[in-house]
Structure formats: C-alpha cells, structure tokens
C-alpha cells in the first residue's frame, strides 16, 4: 500500500535511557520523517531528535496539540508512566495522529496499585495475596496478625522505589510510618498495599497490545536492588539481561493465558481499549508465575536490553500497535542475548549526586557490540557531560551468548569514569545459562 510507505513524523515523550533506546531504534526506520523529542537536555536524545518547543503539560493541552498539528506528527510515543497516568494519550489522539501508550484509564493499572489488585482479584489473576489500607493504624494491626513480615508498597507512582521488603516485623511496621506518615514517597503513600512476600525469581514480561492482538516480547530479568547479591534499597532497576526470568515457551504461554488475557479482558469490560505496552512484573514461584505489579509502558532498563535485540522496524511496529494492526507486522529477535548495566550516581535512589563530570563515554560506545544510552546526564555550561540524575548511563552489550553480552557490557562500563560512580557487578550472573561457568 503506497499510503503505508509515507514518512511519519514522530514525537517521543520522555527523557531517560528508555527513550534514548527508543529514539536510537526509531532512527533506523526508513519511514521516519522528523523525530521530535520532549527532553533535549538529555544529550543522547538531543543528538537524535529536534526539540519540541511546547510544554508537555496536560493542563495546557492546546499548546501541545497545536505543536503536533503544526508539525504533522503522525505518531506520538509516550515513554514514562507519569504523562500516561495524567492522560496525555487521551489528549493527543486525533484523526491522523496515532498514540502509542494507553489512556489514563489504562495507565491506572500501574498508577494505582490498590485498584490494580482489585482488578486482578476479580479476574482471578495469580498474584501476591494482600490488602489495601488508607489508615496506618489498621495497616499495622493487619501486619501484626501475619506470621512473616509482609511487603509494604505505596499505592501510587513512586518511580519503582515505593516498595519496602522488610526483614523483620519491626521494619514492616516502620514501613507504614515511612510511607503513610513521613510520606517518603509523597502522595503515592496516601494508601498502601500490604502483601505476602513471595519467594522465587523475578521476570519482566512485556507485551505489545493493540486492543485486539497481544505480542509477547522476549522476557527479561531486572535487578531491582541497589547492591550486588540483591542487597540494599529497591531502585527503578540496576540492570537487565534478555532473554531472562522465563525462557521456556510453556511458561510464557501460561503468563499470556493466566495473566495478560484476563487482565486485558477485565480492562475491556471497564471500557478500556488498551494500546501500548502491558508489562507484568512477575515472581516465578514453585506454584507458578504470580504478579508483583503491572506497568503500562516499556520497562526501564528492560527497554534498553530489548531494543538491542529487536529485529524489526520499530516505527512500523509502534504505529501498528497504536492503530490496531499489530497482526500485520513481523517481529524477529537477534540472537542470542543482551545485558544492560546501569551506571548510577552516589546517593541514588535517595539523593543522587549531580553535576559531576563523566569521562570515557565515547570509548565505551566504541566497543563493538555495545550501545551506551544516556539516562540522567546533561551538558554543563562548557559543553561537558555531567551527571544529572540517579541512573546516569545504561551500557548494553549484545552477543552470541549471555556470557559474551555480559563481558561486553562490563568491558565498556568499566571505561566510564566519574566520582561517585555506582554499578552492580552481578547483572545476569545468576542466570541459568551461566551456571557452571
Ligand atoms: P514492584 O514495584 O511492586 O514490582 O516491587 C518492586 C520489587 O520489590 C519487585 O521487583 C520485587 O523485587 C520486590 N517485591 C515486590 N513485591 C514483592 C512480594 N510480594 N514478594 C517479594 N518481593 C516483592
Ligand atoms: N525496571 C522496572 C521498571 O521499569 O519499572
């Protein structure tokens, strides 16, 4: 169809490593017209796209709609959860302009953990058993009835940090104070979810959903804790390898049938036509996969590891997903594995050190088989690249085996130097594929 071959102008919303990886892949599409980015302060994005000169403010929708009209944006790709939860997709969808990312009603699955649990319970989706509280005293009374310390989660959006996995009952009770009274995660802590602690290993299963077709992407395993051997506080994610977490087709099929399909059906019954990424954060327990949380966007840094292996035209695929034509595109995966190592700044996840000059990015990016994505960097007044956030850079190695992908990622990551650099050394180290190596 000639119509399908026309170039498409894209607006990419978001400013982290996930968006840099998406921009890098979108740039490879022969159909890409102009690429506009909302966060050009990220040097990686600035190198690939033109700045959007309108505020991305959901309370000022006319300006951003006008920008899209004037620049003939055919596809809007929304990376982060906050604009999705605020309803940016609702505001920007228009005839001739597709939006990749769910409406606010769909994004609620991520933005309101208490509501998500209710939906999962009603749809019999396997998950950690738990209860929701708006009253700290009631939450504490419930915790005291438990045999083992439960996991305590702020119900709202907290950039992956609003989950406390206590070792003792005292810590579990303290978690209620931290989340609900001290409001360490702000308004996200207006209500809490208190749930059983599950044992097993984690998997991130992300699926493209066009409202009709589900395409499950290769599974990944994230490493949420800050320190080696899963120690320290929860973070947004310190590294990922792909494929990981689940590598057998039968378990993927089980996740699709028991988790993804009933969740999307429940959303549909609520009138939600979900288009974008449905991401199930799972614990693979001896009793099968159980949901820890849903996200309604690409994972960060899952996306970076996935894009390194994605072997299709990303623009076509995202456009097809947004326009209910996902069944028309073909997606392949490069063999065999990728590994993404997150480089963070001292103080992350609480109070990362910013403004610190970074060296060695070009040398790392020059390692064959490696991509370096900017997550929390910017240029200072002299043009030098400095730290500007908690997770600073993502180094992704791709190779013919996980061992090779890891070795490449770490070889490159070791070339990056700055004061206060923090990175885990064990990303992917416990993968079954490496057992015995
Ligand atoms: P979430 O944001 O809900 O995925 O939680 C962040 C991280 O906390 C997860 O990736 C797990 O490592 C841990 N976690 C959350 N819920 C549980 C649970 N019920 N049992 C054990 N670990 C959990
Ligand atoms: N890497 C976990 C997340 O994106 O929420």
């Amino acid at each position: 169809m000639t119509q399908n071959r026309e170039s498409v102008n894209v607006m990419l919303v978001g400013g982290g490593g996930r968006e840099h990886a998406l921009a890098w892949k979108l740039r490879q599409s022969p159909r890409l017209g102009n690429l506009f980015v909302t966060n050009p302060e990220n040097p990686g994005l600035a190198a690939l796209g033109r700045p959007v000169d309108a505020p991305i403010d959901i309370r000022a929708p006319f300006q951003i709609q006008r920008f899209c009209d004037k620049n003939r944006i055919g596809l809007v790709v929304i990376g982060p959860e906050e604009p999705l939860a605020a309803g940016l997709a609702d505001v920007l969808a228009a005839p001739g302009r597709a939006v990749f990312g769910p409406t606010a009603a769909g994004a609620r699955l991520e933005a309101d953990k208490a509501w998500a649990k209710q939906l999962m319970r009603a749809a019999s989706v396997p998950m950690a058993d738990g209860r929701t509280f708006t009253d700290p005293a009631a939450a504490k009374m419930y915790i005291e009835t438990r045999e083992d310390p439960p996991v305590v989660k702020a119900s709202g959006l907290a950039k992956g940090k609003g989950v406390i996995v206590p070792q003792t009952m005292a810590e579990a009770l303290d978690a209620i104070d931290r989340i609900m009274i001290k409001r360490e995660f702000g308004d996200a802590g207006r209500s809490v979810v208190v749930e059983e602690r599950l044992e097993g290993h984690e998997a991130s299963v992300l699926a493209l959903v066009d409202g009709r077709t589900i395409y499950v992407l290769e599974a990944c395993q994230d490493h949420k804790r800050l320190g080696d051997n899963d120690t320290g506080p929860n973070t947004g994610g310190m590294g990922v390898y792909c494929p990981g977490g689940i590598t057998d087709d039968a378990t993927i099929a089980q996740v699709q049938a028991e988790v993804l399909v009933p969740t999307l059906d429940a959303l549909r019954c609520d009138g939600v036509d979900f288009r974008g990424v449905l991401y199930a954060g799972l614990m693979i327990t001896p009793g099968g996969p159980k949901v820890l949380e849903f996200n309604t966007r690409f994972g960060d840094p899952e996306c970076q590891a996935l894009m390194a292996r994605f072997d299709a035209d990303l623009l076509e695929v995202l456009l097809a997903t947004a326009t209910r034509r996902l069944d028309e595109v073909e997606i392949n995966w490069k063999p065999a594995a990728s590994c993404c190592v997150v480089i963070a700044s001292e103080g992350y996840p609480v109070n990362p050190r910013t403004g610190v000059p970074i060296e060695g990015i070009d040398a790392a990016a020059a390692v064959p088989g490696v991509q370096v994505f900017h997550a929390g960097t910017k240029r200072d007044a002299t043009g030098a690249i400095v730290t500007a956030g908690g997770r600073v850079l993502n180094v992704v190695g791709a190779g013919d085996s996980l061992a090779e992908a890891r070795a490449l990622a770490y070889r490159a990551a070791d070339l990056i130097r700055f004061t206060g650099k923090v990175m885990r050394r064990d990303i992917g180290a416990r993968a079954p594929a490496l057992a015995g190596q």
Side-chain angles (χ1 to χ4, degrees), residues 173-226:
L173 294 169
D174 184 52
I176 298 294
D177 288 337
R178 289 175 57 192
I179 294 177
M180 300 191 88
I181 305 204
K182 294 182 196 146
R183 290 287 172 99
E184 279 186 25
F185 310 106
D187 281 348
R190 258 199 290 245
S191 70
V192 289
V193 172
V194 179
E195 66 182 29
E196 66 173 327
R197 180 171 177 169
L198 296 177
E199 299 297 337
H201 66 269
E202 287 184 54
S204 302
V205 174
L206 284 72
L208 298 170
V209 176
D210 73 352
R212 187 171 64 172
T213 301
I214 300 174
Y215 178 88
V216 181
L217 303 171
E218 295 270 283
C220 304
Q221 188 165 66
D222 192 6
H223 297 62
K224 293 270 170 60
R225 300 296 193 99
L226 181 67

Side-chain angles (χ1 to χ4, degrees), residues 33-70:
N34 293 320
L35 176 64
F36 293 93
V37 298
T38 59
N39 291 63
E41 69 281 4
N42 176 324
L45 287 168
L48 297 174
R50 293 152 60 165
V52 171
D53 60 4
I56 303 298
D57 182 349
I58 194 77
R59 288 157 306 177
F62 285 114
Q63 293 187 61
I64 188 73
Q65 283 166 344
R66 216 171 140 253
F67 175 88
C68 290
D69 290 342
K70 207 173 70 188

Side-chain angles (χ1 to χ4, degrees), residues 64-281:
I64 188 73
Q65 283 166 344
R66 216 171 140 253
F67 175 88
C68 290
D69 290 342
K70 207 173 70 188
N71 292 286
R72 298 170 175 276
I73 301 294
L75 176 67
V76 179
V77 179
I78 305 177
E81 55 273 29
E82 293 89 351
L84 291 168
L88 190 63
D90 308 64
V91 162
L92 291 184
R97 183 162 69 231
V99 179
F100 181 86
T103 58
R108 190 171 178 201
L109 199 60
E110 168 166 7
D112 184 349
K113 282 184 196 274
W115 181 81
K117 274 211 112 66
Q118 215 177 309
L119 180 137
M120 282 188 268
R121 194 170 297 119
S124 301
V125 171
M127 61 171 176
D129 191 26
R131 286 186 52 183
T132 301
F133 297 92
T134 48
D135 171 21
K140 286 185 181 179
M141 259 163 62
Y142 174 73
I143 288 175
E144 278 166 349
T145 66
R146 312 300 297 171
E147 272 179 24
D148 299 309
V151 176
V152 183
K153 305 182 176 185
S155 185
L157 292 178
K159 296 194 184 298
K161 302 165 205 160
V163 174
I164 299 175
V165 184
Q167 299 300 323
T168 63
M169 280 294 180
E171 270 176 46
L173 294 169
D174 184 52
I176 298 294
D177 288 337
R178 289 175 57 192
I179 294 177
M180 300 191 88
I181 305 204
K182 294 182 196 146
R183 290 287 172 99
E184 279 186 25
F185 310 106
D187 281 348
R190 258 199 290 245
S191 70
V192 289
V193 172
V194 179
E195 66 182 29
E196 66 173 327
R197 180 171 177 169
L198 296 177
E199 299 297 337
H201 66 269
E202 287 184 54
S204 302
V205 174
L206 284 72
L208 298 170
V209 176
D210 73 352
R212 187 171 64 172
T213 301
I214 300 174
Y215 178 88
V216 181
L217 303 171
E218 295 270 283
C220 304
Q221 188 165 66
D222 192 6
H223 297 62
K224 293 270 170 60
R225 300 296 193 99
L226 181 67
D228 283 0
N229 299 314
D230 296 333
T231 52
N234 264 318
T235 69
M238 293 299 291
V240 159
Y241 65 102
C242 171
I246 303 177
T247 44
D248 65 297
D249 293 344
T251 310
I252 293 288
Q254 190 183 358
V255 171
Q256 176 152 349
E258 293 179 7
V259 173
L260 302 176
V261 169
T263 300
L264 290 163
D265 279 343
L267 286 171
R268 174 74 65 84
C269 290
D270 272 0
V272 180
D273 176 17
F274 192 101
R275 298 186 195 188
V277 174
L278 180 61
Y279 160 166

Side-chain angles (χ1 to χ4, degrees), residues 18 160 222 224 236-237 279 293 295 297-302 391:
R18 166 183 48 211
D222 192 6
K224 293 270 170 60
Y279 160 166
E293 66 160 353
N295 296 317
R297 52 169 175 83
F298 280 109
D300 185 346
E302 282 88 340
R391 293 189 291 177

Side-chain angles (χ1 to χ4, degrees), residues 261-349:
V261 169
T263 300
L264 290 163
D265 279 343
L267 286 171
R268 174 74 65 84
C269 290
D270 272 0
V272 180
D273 176 17
F274 192 101
R275 298 186 195 188
V277 174
L278 180 61
Y279 160 166
L282 302 166
M283 188 71 89
I284 312 302
T285 73
K290 294 191 178 179
V291 176
L292 297 177
E293 66 160 353
F294 277 118
N295 296 317
T296 59
R297 52 169 175 83
F298 280 109
D300 185 346
E302 282 88 340
C303 183
Q304 294 83 312
L306 284 166
M307 287 304 120
R309 295 196 48 230
F310 192 79
D311 196 8
D313 182 327
L314 184 65
L315 174 53
E316 295 282 4
V317 171
L318 299 185
L319 194 57
T321 307
T323 55
R324 220 191 257 284
R325 290 185 297 103
L326 186 52
D327 57 346
E328 291 175 20
V329 293
E330 191 184 325
I331 300 173
N332 293 301
W333 296 90
K334 291 180 195 158
S338 59
C339 178
C340 172
V341 174
V342 171
I343 301 180
S345 185
E346 188 176 6
Y348 177 70

